[in-house]
């Protein structure tokens, strides 16, 4: 019999996984206020993209060096799609300007982090350079 003594450790606040998790939790609080028809179409699609991105980021984190760059590229594509869908929901007035701004900031932070991660994999010799 397996027993669990300690609760899982929270993610560090500066990780990509933590940032996208924060965005997902924001979306979960927003999506319940979207009209039913849109909640089960674009709202559900956005939720699924968030979950898929979380899964891909997790896999990229543990992927071997030879697969990591490909996984990060997939993450960037999903993130771009997610940004587009969130913007579309704002333009359709399904979410408020403030809600859009909160999520957009999180997604932009994740995008910068992913871009930096990908760049560091493509140019490993520049990783420890003097500034």
């Amino acid at each position: 019999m397996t027993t669990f003594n300690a609760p899982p450790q929270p993610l560090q606040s500066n990780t990509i996984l933590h940032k996208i998790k924060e965005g997902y939790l924001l979306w979960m609080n927003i999506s319940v206020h979207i009209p039913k028809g849109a909640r089960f179409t674009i709202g559900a699609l956005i939720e699924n993209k968030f979950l898929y991105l979380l899964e891909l980021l997790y896999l990229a984190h543990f992927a071997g060096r030879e697969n990591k760059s490909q996984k990060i590229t997939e993450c960037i594509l999903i993130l771009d799609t997610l940004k587009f869908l969130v913007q579309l929901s704002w333009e359709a007035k399904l979410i408020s300007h403030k809600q859009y701004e909160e999520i957009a900031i999180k997604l932009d932070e994740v995008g910068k982090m992913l871009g930096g991660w990908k760049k560091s994999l493509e140019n490993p010799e520049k990783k420890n350079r003097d500034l």
Side-chain angles (χ1 to χ4, degrees):
M1 178 197 281
T2 304
T3 59
F4 298 98
N5 296 332
Q9 295 296 315
L11 294 171
Q12 292 180 354
S13 63
N14 60 344
T15 65
I16 297 174
L17 277 170
H18 180 78
K19 295 290 183 190
I20 200 64
K21 183 184 86 165
E22 286 180 339
Y24 174 66
L25 294 174
L26 276 171
W27 181 253
M28 292 303 298
N29 289 325
I30 292 167
S31 67
V32 295
H33 302 289
I34 294 175
K36 250 186 189 177
R39 187 181 326 146
F40 296 112
T41 55
I42 191 167
L45 184 58
I46 290 170
E47 181 176 345
N48 289 335
K49 293 292 180 192
F50 266 113
L51 291 171
Y52 186 51
L53 182 57
L54 275 166
E55 179 183 7
L56 273 176
L57 283 168
Y58 188 81
L59 293 173
H61 178 73
F62 291 105
R65 186 138 182 93
E66 64 281 352
N67 295 329
K68 201 172 286 268
S69 183
Q70 177 191 359
K71 292 281 185 215
I72 294 170
T73 300
E74 286 180 61
C75 289
I76 292 169
L77 178 63
I78 295 301
L79 179 65
D80 288 344
T81 305
L82 185 55
K83 286 178 179 181
F84 172 74
L85 292 170
V86 169
Q87 181 180 354
L88 182 61
S89 68
W90 172 69
E91 289 175 1
K93 299 189 184 337
L94 300 172
I95 63 175
S96 72
H97 183 74
K98 184 178 185 319
Q99 292 167 329
Y100 173 69
E101 183 178 25
E102 288 175 339
I103 292 179
I105 288 170
K106 292 287 180 209
L107 295 178
D108 283 342
E109 289 172 354
V110 171
K112 289 175 185 176
M113 294 171 93
L114 280 171
W117 192 8
K118 184 168 173 67
K119 194 176 216 178
S120 74
L121 287 173
E122 291 171 351
N123 301 312
E125 67 279 350
K126 293 186 178 182
K127 192 173 187 177
N128 295 319
R129 67 183 187 273
D130 294 322
L131 297 177

